Amino acid sequence: MVRRRRMTRAYTSDPVDPAVLERALDHATRAPSAGFSQGWAFVVLDTPDTVGGFWSAQTDAAGPDGAPDRWLAGMMSAPVVVVPCSRRAAYLDRYAEPDKRRAGLHEHDESRWAMPYWHLDTAMAALLLLQSVTDSGLGACFFGLVPGRVEAVKDVLGLRDSAQEEAPHPIGAITIGHPAPRATGARGSASRRRRTPWREVAHRGRWGAGWSGQEA
Ligand SMILES: Cc1cc2nc3c(=O)[nH]c(=O)nc-3n(C[C@H](O)[C@H](O)[C@H](O)COP(=O)(O)O)c2cc1C
């Protein structure tokens, strides 16, 4: 259920049922994608070693000498981390096919694209994954990679360009597990900010019209 999904920032030590994880990945691949390019990939970390390697790449505070703050300690308690990655090359290849070539988007020139659909579509897939985990009764949190640590994360995940292929790009990461009591983890931005009601962001007909059509 959409309204039940909230980011979970601390987890119990209960393992994640592989069937839940596999269903969430299956649901993620039901996301829409431009030209049905499906330019996403998911690096799934579900062992203490691989999860630990990810956190060490993300931040020095995760190491033996580190002092994780409340947020990091809670997030590091997740038994599973999924890293959704976007594959730009899949779009350039797809838009070079006969039915799409006319659009001229297959050139290696991002400015020709109205927006980078590879990131957009991967984000849509990530949301379906979050929703699926929620519907299975577990918790998840999407979070951004630390700026300056993206290359280290790519290294530890094996995301390196080869002569044949541009490496997928991690758009963020998702922790997954059984939620610990809410008070355990860090409180996210949503605890400090008001959720904007839809009537304040929907504009009927044109920007600025608002929903009732009476606004200036
Ligand atoms: C692109 C993106 C980056 C985010 N980065 C973080 C993050 O670094 N740390 C974190 O705790 N939450 C992060 N979040 C989660 C947001 O804080 C959260 O979605 C927002 O506060 C609304 O709360 P809710 O998802 O529980 O409704 C991120 C969400 C998105 C979409």
Side-chain angles (χ1 to χ4, degrees):
M1 267 150 44
V2 171
R3 279 173 173 268
R4 230 184 44 212
R5 188 212 55 74
R6 299 302 312 279
M7 298 302 187
T8 296
R9 296 183 175 83
Y11 303 85
T12 69
S13 56
D14 297 314
V16 173
D17 180 350
V20 167
L21 190 54
E22 288 173 16
R23 187 166 55 235
L25 291 163
D26 178 35
H27 285 156
T29 63
R30 307 305 298 186
S33 63
F36 207 24
S37 302
Q38 304 170 82
W40 45 59
F42 306 90
V43 181
V44 179
L45 311 173
D46 59 355
T47 64
D49 270 5
T50 53
V51 169
F54 166 80
W55 285 115
S56 299
Q58 259 277 83
T59 165
D60 291 332
D65 306 325
D69 61 12
R70 186 171 173 174
W71 183 88
L72 184 59
M75 294 292 275
M76 283 173 59
S77 64
V80 174
V81 175
V82 173
V83 182
C85 301
S86 62
R87 294 179 46 241
R88 190 180 79 119
Y91 291 76
L92 301 180
D93 290 350
R94 170 68 186 107
Y95 279 75
E97 289 177 16
D99 62 325
K100 289 288 184 193
R101 207 178 166 78
R102 224 157 26 108
L105 299 177
H106 54 288
E107 316 287 345
H108 279 243
D109 175 4
E110 288 198 24
S111 68
R112 299 176 79 107
W113 290 73
M115 65 112 47
Y117 288 147
W118 39 97
H119 299 324
L120 175 73
D121 297 349
T122 304
M124 293 210 198
L127 177 58
L128 287 183
L129 193 147
L130 293 175
Q131 195 65 55
S132 177
V133 168
T134 303
D135 291 351
S136 295
L138 277 73
C141 182
F142 182 97
F143 59 102
L145 299 181
V146 174
R149 293 293 194 138
V150 176
E151 292 309 311
V153 168
K154 286 173 77 169
D155 271 341
V156 79
L157 301 181
L159 295 168
R160 279 289 149 224
D161 291 345
S162 70
Q164 295 80 34
E165 207 179 294
E166 181 179 66
H169 184 80
I171 66 157
I174 299 172
T175 47
I176 300 175
H178 293 266
R182 241 185 208 291
T184 316
R187 300 171 69 208
S189 300
S191 66
R192 299 180 292 276
R193 293 170 59 83
R194 160 181 178 265
R195 187 175 299 274
T196 310
W198 69 268
R199 285 180 191 279
E200 293 181 24
V201 290
H203 302 265
R204 194 174 247 152
R206 64 190 289 274
W207 166 253
W211 188 247
S212 64
Q214 303 301 307
E215 285 83 352

Short mmCIF file of all heavy atoms in Angstrom, two decimals, residues 5-7 9 71 141-144 189-190 195, ligand 1:
data_model
loop_
_atom_site.label_atom_id
_atom_site.label_comp_id
_atom_site.label_asym_id
_atom_site.label_seq_id
_atom_site.Cartn_x
_atom_site.Cartn_y
_atom_site.Cartn_z
N ARG A 5 4.10 2.95 3.03
CA ARG A 5 5.55 2.97 2.80
C ARG A 5 6.20 4.19 3.44
O ARG A 5 5.84 5.30 3.15
CB ARG A 5 5.86 2.97 1.29
CG ARG A 5 7.36 2.80 1.02
CD ARG A 5 7.81 3.51 -0.21
NE ARG A 5 7.48 4.91 -0.22
CZ ARG A 5 8.11 5.84 0.52
NH1 ARG A 5 9.13 5.50 1.30
NH2 ARG A 5 7.72 7.10 0.47
N ARG A 6 7.10 3.97 4.35
CA ARG A 6 7.92 5.02 4.95
C ARG A 6 9.33 4.48 5.01
O ARG A 6 9.53 3.28 5.17
CB ARG A 6 7.44 5.34 6.37
CG ARG A 6 5.99 5.84 6.49
CD ARG A 6 5.71 7.10 5.68
NE ARG A 6 6.71 8.14 5.86
CZ ARG A 6 6.73 8.98 6.90
NH1 ARG A 6 5.82 8.89 7.85
NH2 ARG A 6 7.65 9.89 6.99
N MET A 7 10.31 5.35 4.94
CA MET A 7 11.69 4.88 4.99
C MET A 7 12.00 4.32 6.39
O MET A 7 11.67 4.92 7.41
CB MET A 7 12.66 6.01 4.66
CG MET A 7 12.51 6.59 3.26
SD MET A 7 12.69 5.36 1.95
CE MET A 7 12.66 6.45 0.50
N ARG A 9 14.93 3.20 8.99
CA ARG A 9 16.36 3.54 9.18
C ARG A 9 17.04 2.74 10.27
O ARG A 9 18.15 3.06 10.68
CB ARG A 9 16.49 5.04 9.42
CG ARG A 9 16.06 5.87 8.22
CD ARG A 9 16.27 7.36 8.42
NE ARG A 9 15.96 8.11 7.21
CZ ARG A 9 14.73 8.49 6.84
NH1 ARG A 9 13.70 8.21 7.62
NH2 ARG A 9 14.55 9.17 5.73
N TRP A 71 22.27 7.44 12.62
CA TRP A 71 21.78 7.11 11.28
C TRP A 71 22.56 5.93 10.71
O TRP A 71 21.98 4.94 10.28
CB TRP A 71 21.92 8.34 10.35
CG TRP A 71 21.38 8.08 8.97
CD1 TRP A 71 20.09 8.27 8.58
CD2 TRP A 71 22.09 7.59 7.82
NE1 TRP A 71 19.96 7.91 7.25
CE2 TRP A 71 21.17 7.49 6.77
CE3 TRP A 71 23.41 7.21 7.58
CZ2 TRP A 71 21.51 7.03 5.49
CZ3 TRP A 71 23.76 6.75 6.31
CH2 TRP A 71 22.82 6.66 5.29
N CYS A 141 14.93 1.53 2.97
CA CYS A 141 15.24 2.97 2.88
C CYS A 141 16.12 3.23 1.67
O CYS A 141 17.20 2.65 1.54
CB CYS A 141 15.94 3.47 4.15
SG CYS A 141 16.29 5.25 4.13
N PHE A 142 15.66 4.11 0.80
CA PHE A 142 16.50 4.58 -0.31
C PHE A 142 17.33 5.75 0.20
O PHE A 142 16.83 6.63 0.88
CB PHE A 142 15.63 5.06 -1.48
CG PHE A 142 16.44 5.52 -2.67
CD1 PHE A 142 16.67 4.66 -3.73
CD2 PHE A 142 17.01 6.79 -2.71
CE1 PHE A 142 17.44 5.06 -4.81
CE2 PHE A 142 17.79 7.20 -3.79
CZ PHE A 142 18.00 6.33 -4.85
N PHE A 143 18.60 5.75 -0.12
CA PHE A 143 19.45 6.87 0.30
C PHE A 143 20.51 7.12 -0.76
O PHE A 143 20.84 6.25 -1.57
CB PHE A 143 20.11 6.60 1.67
CG PHE A 143 20.96 5.36 1.70
CD1 PHE A 143 22.34 5.45 1.63
CD2 PHE A 143 20.38 4.11 1.78
CE1 PHE A 143 23.14 4.32 1.66
CE2 PHE A 143 21.17 2.96 1.80
CZ PHE A 143 22.54 3.06 1.73
N GLY A 144 21.02 8.36 -0.74
CA GLY A 144 22.03 8.74 -1.72
C GLY A 144 23.40 8.27 -1.31
O GLY A 144 23.69 8.10 -0.12
N SER A 189 14.05 13.30 7.38
CA SER A 189 13.56 14.66 7.11
C SER A 189 12.05 14.76 7.27
O SER A 189 11.52 15.81 7.65
CB SER A 189 13.93 15.07 5.68
OG SER A 189 15.32 15.04 5.53
N ALA A 190 11.34 13.64 6.98
CA ALA A 190 9.88 13.70 7.03
C ALA A 190 9.36 13.94 8.45
O ALA A 190 8.21 14.32 8.64
CB ALA A 190 9.28 12.42 6.45
N ARG A 195 4.41 17.16 5.08
CA ARG A 195 4.15 16.60 3.75
C ARG A 195 3.20 17.55 3.02
O ARG A 195 2.14 17.89 3.53
CB ARG A 195 3.52 15.21 3.86
CG ARG A 195 3.38 14.50 2.52
CD ARG A 195 2.87 13.07 2.67
NE ARG A 195 3.76 12.23 3.46
CZ ARG A 195 4.81 11.57 2.96
NH1 ARG A 195 5.07 11.62 1.69
NH2 ARG A 195 5.58 10.86 3.76
C1 LIG B 1 16.95 10.70 -3.98
C2 LIG B 1 16.71 10.43 -2.52
C3 LIG B 1 17.77 10.50 -1.63
C4 LIG B 1 17.56 10.24 -0.28
N1 LIG B 1 18.64 10.27 0.55
C5 LIG B 1 18.46 9.95 1.84
C6 LIG B 1 19.57 9.88 2.70
O1 LIG B 1 20.72 10.10 2.30
N2 LIG B 1 19.35 9.54 4.00
C7 LIG B 1 18.09 9.25 4.47
O2 LIG B 1 17.95 8.94 5.64
N3 LIG B 1 17.00 9.31 3.66
C8 LIG B 1 17.16 9.64 2.36
N4 LIG B 1 16.08 9.68 1.53
C9 LIG B 1 14.73 9.44 2.08
C10 LIG B 1 13.95 10.73 2.30
O3 LIG B 1 14.47 11.41 3.41
C11 LIG B 1 12.47 10.36 2.52
O4 LIG B 1 11.97 9.73 1.37
C12 LIG B 1 11.63 11.58 2.86
O5 LIG B 1 12.01 12.16 4.08
C13 LIG B 1 10.14 11.22 2.93
O6 LIG B 1 9.92 10.23 3.92
P1 LIG B 1 9.20 8.84 3.58
O7 LIG B 1 9.86 8.27 2.34
O8 LIG B 1 9.40 7.99 4.80
O9 LIG B 1 7.76 9.17 3.31
C14 LIG B 1 16.26 9.94 0.18
C15 LIG B 1 15.21 9.85 -0.71
C16 LIG B 1 15.42 10.08 -2.05
C17 LIG B 1 14.25 9.97 -3.01
#
